[in-house]
């Protein structure tokens, strides 16, 4: 088993996903971040109960909008607002900086809520802040 899968198990991602499914029932979701973490989650967990309307990542350009990646529609970051998702789930291991930027800059003044796809224990987050 690789490190990412071990980390997901350590963070009890399966339980987190059950809670997310309940919290986001009937809500539209864009996943931000399609790197190794998202790939590992997609391979090992069932995301079908989340109403994912698309995936976004800084690597996607406006020319790629509407194409598919991992079975989901590509939505460039600058176009997310046009799709009016209820939530953006950040799918990166280090999400604090992105969350801060999204809440205070990119999506400020919108009704879009930003959450991490994989939440981590408070002490783990504190260590990341001070690294």
């Amino acid at each position: 088993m690789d490190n990412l899968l071990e980390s997901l198990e350590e963070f009890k991602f399966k339980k987190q996903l059950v809670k997310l499914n309940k919290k986001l029932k009937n809500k539209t979701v864009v996943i931000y971040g399609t790197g190794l973490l998202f790939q590992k989650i997609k391979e090992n967990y069932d995301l079908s109960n989340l109403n994912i309307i698309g995936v976004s990542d800084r690597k996607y350009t406006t020319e790629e909008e509407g194409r598919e990646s991992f079975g989901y529609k590509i939505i460039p970051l600058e176009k997310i607002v046009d799709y009016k998702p209820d939530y953006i789930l950040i799918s990166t291991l280090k999400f604090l900086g992105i969350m801060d930027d999204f809440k205070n800059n990119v999506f400020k003044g919108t009704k879009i809520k930003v959450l991490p796809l994989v939440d981590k224990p408070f002490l783990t987050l504190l260590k990341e802040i001070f690294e």
Side-chain angles (χ1 to χ4, degrees):
M1 185 155 46
D2 62 27
N3 288 345
L4 271 179
L5 208 49
E6 287 172 15
S7 292
L8 287 166
E9 287 181 10
E10 180 186 323
F11 299 144
K12 297 178 177 51
F13 181 67
K14 198 171 196 169
K15 279 186 176 178
Q16 287 184 33
L17 188 57
V18 169
K19 287 180 184 175
L20 261 181
N21 287 334
K22 285 179 186 169
K23 180 176 183 162
L24 305 185
K25 187 176 173 71
N26 301 320
K27 302 291 184 190
T28 55
V29 174
V30 170
I31 301 285
Y32 180 81
T34 56
L36 291 174
L37 177 65
F38 180 68
Q39 293 169 35
K40 197 54 69 180
I41 289 171
K42 184 98 172 74
E43 290 168 10
N44 294 282
Y45 297 91
D46 178 11
L47 298 178
S48 65
N49 289 323
L50 292 172
N51 184 11
I52 300 171
I53 59 171
V55 292
S56 187
D57 201 307
R58 61 190 163 123
K59 66 186 171 199
Y60 296 135
T61 64
T62 50
E63 290 80 46
E64 294 172 286
E65 183 178 2
R67 292 188 193 151
E68 281 201 359
S69 183
F70 303 101
Y72 301 106
K73 182 188 294 191
I74 292 173
I75 303 173
L77 178 60
E78 59 272 13
K79 298 281 193 148
I80 289 176
V81 175
D82 298 343
Y83 288 83
K84 297 180 176 76
D86 296 303
Y87 285 85
I88 295 173
L89 294 179
I90 300 174
S91 176
T92 60
L93 273 179
K94 296 197 175 187
F95 56 79
L96 289 175
I98 297 169
M99 268 185 74
D100 184 57
D101 185 43
F102 280 11
K103 286 181 175 182
N104 296 312
N105 300 307
V106 182
F107 300 106
K108 188 176 183 171
T110 71
K111 292 182 179 178
I112 300 170
K113 295 177 183 76
V114 183
L115 295 173
L117 179 57
V118 179
D119 209 354
K120 296 192 252 184
F122 183 70
L123 287 175
T124 305
L125 293 174
L126 266 181
K127 285 179 192 168
E128 283 180 18
I129 291 170
F130 292 106
E131 273 181 356

